[in-house]
C-alpha cells in the first residue's frame, strides 16, 4: 500500500521535473532575446509603475514642503470634490463628446480613404495621394491650430468659399460660438490624422488573399461589391483591435487643440479633463486634485478597455486579451 502511494506521488514529481527542464532549456535557447528585453522591461518599470507611487497624493492634502510622513491624509475628499463640482462634470461632458466625435470620424474617414486608395490602380497616383494625406501628421498642433484659426477667421478661406457658393450670407464666427467648437475639433483631428491612420488598414488589405478577388470577378461582382464583401471582411480583425484600443482612450479627447483654439467665448465647450487638471490643479498648486483627476482617467480607460475586450470576446471577434 505504501509503495503504491509512493508511486502516485513520484509520477507528478517526475512530470514537474520534466516541465522545469523544458522551461529552463527554452529560456537558455532564448537567452539573447531575454537579455534584449531587459532594457525595455526596466524602462516600463521605471516610467510606468514606479510613478504609481505618486497616486498617494490623491488621498492626501499634499504639500510639497512636507515629507511623506508629514502629509495630511484626507481619504476620498478630492474625488468627492470632483464628482460634486459642476465645472468637472462640464469638462467630463466636453471630454466624452469630443472623444466620441474624434473616434467616430477618425474610424469612418480612415477606413473610407483606405478603401478608396486600395482601388487606385496607378501606383504613382496612389502613392502621391497617400503621401499628401499623411503629411499633416508630422505638423505640430501649434502649426495646425494656427492654420485652422486662420482658415476659420471671419475673412478666412472657409467663410469666403461658403459665401461665394451662396451657402451663407455673412461670415460665421466659428471659434466664437460653442455649438461649432466640437465639430471644429473633430474636423481638425481628421485633417491631421486621417492619412496616417490609413496606413495600417492598407497594410491589412495587402494581406488579403488575391484569389478572393479573382473569385469575386468570376462571380461578376462589381468593385463596390468586392469592397463590401471581400475587403471589409478581410480587415475586420484589424478594425476590431484598433477599436478596442481606441475605446480604452475614450477620455483622451486631446489637450493642445482645445487649449490653443479655446477662448473665453467657448470655454464652456472647450475645456477637457486635461485642461481642468492644469488650470485648477497644477496651476493653483492643488496637486492632490490633479492626481485624483489623473486616477479617474486611468481607471475609466482600463475599465472601458477590459469591457470592450470582453464584448469582442462574447461576439466572437478578435480581442487583445
Amino acid at each position: 500500500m505504501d509503495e503504491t502511494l509512493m508511486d502516485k506521488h513520484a509520477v507528478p514529481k517526475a512530470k514537474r521535473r520534466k516541465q522545469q527542464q523544458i522551461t529552463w532549456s527554452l529560456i537558455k535557447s532564448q537567452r539573447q532575446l531575454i537579455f534584449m528585453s531587459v532594457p525595455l522591461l526596466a524602462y516600463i518599470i521605471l516610467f510606468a509603475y514606479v510613478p504609481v507611487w505618486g497616486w498617494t497624493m490623491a488621498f492626501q492634502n499634499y504639500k510639497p514642503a512636507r515629507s511623506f510622513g508629514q502629509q495630511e491624509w484626507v481619504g476620498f475628499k478630492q474625488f468627492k470634490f470632483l464628482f460634486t463640482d459642476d465645472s468637472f462634470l462640464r469638462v467630463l461632458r466636453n471630454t466624452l463628446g469630443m472623444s466620441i466625435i474624434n473616434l467616430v470620424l477618425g474610424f469612418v474617414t480612415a477606413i473610407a480613404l483606405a478603401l478608396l486608395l486600395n482601388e487606385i490602380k496607378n501606383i504613382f497616383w496612389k502613392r502621391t495621394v497617400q503621401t499628401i494625406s499623411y503629411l499633416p501628421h508630422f505638423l505640430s498642433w501649434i502649426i495646425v491650430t494656427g492654420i485652422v484659426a486662420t482658415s476659420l477667421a471671419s475673412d478666412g478661406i472657409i467663410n469666403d468659399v461658403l459665401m461665394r457658393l451662396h451657402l451663407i450670407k455673412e461670415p460665421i464666427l466659428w471659434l466664437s460660438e460653442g455649438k461649432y467648437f466640437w465639430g471644429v475639433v473633430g474636423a481638425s483631428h481628421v485633417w491631421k490624422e486621417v492619412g496616417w491612420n490609413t496606413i495600417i488598414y492598407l497594410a491589412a488589405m495587402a494581406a488579403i488573399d488575391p484569389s478572393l478577388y479573382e473569385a469575386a470577378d468570376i462571380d461578376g461582382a462589381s468593385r463596390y461589391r468586392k469592397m463590401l464583401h471581400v475587403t471589409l471582411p478581410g480587415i475586420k480583425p484589424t478594425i476590431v483591435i484598433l477599436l478596442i484600443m481606441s475605446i480604452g482612450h475614450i477620455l483622451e479627447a486631446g489637450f493642445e487643440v482645445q487649449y490653443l483654439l479655446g477662448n473665453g467665448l467657448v470655454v464652456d465647450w472647450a475645456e477637457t479633463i486635461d485642461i481642468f487638471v492644469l488650470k485648477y490643479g497644477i496651476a493653483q498648486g492643488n496637486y492632490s486634485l490633479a492626481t485624483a483627476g489623473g486616477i479617474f482617467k486611468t481607471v475609466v480607460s482600463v475599465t472601458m478597455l477590459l469591457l470592450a475586450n470582453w464584448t469582442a470576446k462574447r461576439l466572437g471577434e478578435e480581442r487583445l486579451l
Side-chain angles (χ1 to χ4, degrees):
M1 187 70 175
D2 294 339
E3 293 179 357
T4 304
L5 291 174
M6 291 178 62
D7 292 338
K8 288 182 179 180
H9 288 293
V11 172
K13 288 183 178 179
K15 288 184 178 180
R16 286 197 298 270
R17 192 178 300 111
K18 186 176 181 180
Q19 291 176 351
Q20 291 175 357
Q21 291 175 353
I22 294 174
T23 301
W24 283 110
S25 62
L26 182 62
I27 293 174
K28 185 177 180 181
S29 63
Q30 298 184 354
R31 61 184 181 277
Q32 293 178 344
L33 296 175
I34 294 174
F35 291 148
M36 290 173 61
S37 65
V38 168
L40 178 61
L41 182 63
Y43 174 84
I44 293 174
I45 293 174
L46 184 61
F47 293 99
Y49 288 97
V50 172
V52 174
W53 171 259
W55 279 14
T56 56
M57 288 192 297
F59 307 96
Q60 302 170 344
N61 185 17
Y62 182 77
K63 303 297 181 183
R66 298 178 183 176
S67 64
F68 181 79
Q70 295 175 331
Q71 299 295 338
E72 177 188 358
W73 293 86
V74 294
F76 291 95
K77 177 182 177 181
Q78 305 297 342
F79 295 95
K80 292 178 181 178
F81 173 78
L82 284 179
F83 297 122
T84 55
D85 182 62
D86 293 336
S87 298
F88 182 76
L89 297 178
R90 173 173 49 81
V91 301
L92 179 59
R93 178 208 63 183
N94 296 342
T95 303
L96 285 173
M98 284 184 276
S99 182
I100 292 173
I101 290 174
N102 293 339
L103 177 65
V104 174
L105 288 180
F107 263 86
V108 172
T109 55
I111 294 172
L113 180 59
L115 289 172
L116 295 176
L117 287 173
N118 189 57
E119 293 299 316
I120 298 178
K121 303 306 179 184
N122 188 308
I123 301 300
F124 174 77
W125 178 246
K126 178 179 179 179
R127 291 179 177 176
T128 301
V129 174
Q130 187 178 359
T131 302
I132 293 173
S133 65
Y134 70 63
L135 278 178
H137 170 79
F138 299 100
L139 298 177
S140 69
W141 274 112
I142 297 291
I143 299 174
V144 172
T145 52
I147 295 173
V148 171
T150 303
S151 301
L152 295 178
S154 58
D155 57 347
I157 187 173
I158 301 298
N159 280 317
D160 187 45
V161 170
L162 293 177
M163 291 179 67
R164 289 177 182 272
L165 294 175
H166 302 289
L167 296 177
I168 59 175
K169 295 181 179 180
E170 57 184 15
I172 297 176
L173 302 177
W174 299 99
L175 297 178
S176 299
E177 296 187 38
K179 61 182 180 180
Y180 298 125
F181 192 82
W182 291 4
V184 170
V185 171
S188 302
H189 273 276
V190 168
W191 178 75
K192 187 176 187 296
E193 302 294 345
V194 63
W196 184 260
N197 292 337
T198 59
I199 294 176
I200 191 168
Y201 294 116
L202 289 171
M205 292 175 187
I208 298 175
D209 189 354
S211 62
L212 297 176
Y213 292 102
E214 296 173 1
D217 286 329
I218 295 173
D219 291 338
S222 64
R223 297 178 70 175
Y224 295 104
R225 287 290 182 181
K226 286 187 286 186
M227 290 167 60
L228 183 62
H229 297 290
V230 178
T231 307
L232 279 176
I235 65 173
K236 184 179 178 182
T238 303
I239 295 175
V240 173
I241 291 296
L242 292 177
L243 181 60
I244 293 173
M245 295 175 65
S246 298
I247 290 176
H249 294 85
I250 194 65
L251 292 183
E252 297 290 343
F255 170 79
E256 296 95 339
V257 61
Q258 290 87 353
Y259 188 77
L260 295 171
L261 290 180
N263 54 68
L265 298 174
V266 295
V267 65
D268 290 339
W269 298 85
E271 280 191 351
T272 60
I273 293 178
D274 293 330
I275 297 177
F276 177 87
V277 168
L278 175 65
K279 182 182 294 187
Y280 300 102
I282 298 175
Q284 296 184 10
N286 192 349
Y287 302 108
S288 297
L289 181 64
T291 306
I295 292 176
F296 171 74
K297 283 184 58 178
T298 302
V299 171
V300 171
S301 297
V302 172
T303 303
M304 293 300 297
L305 179 65
L306 295 177
L307 182 61
N309 187 78
W310 177 83
T311 303
K313 181 180 179 180
R314 295 282 295 181
L315 296 176
E317 302 293 344
E318 292 291 329
R319 57 189 186 274
L320 290 175
L321 303 175

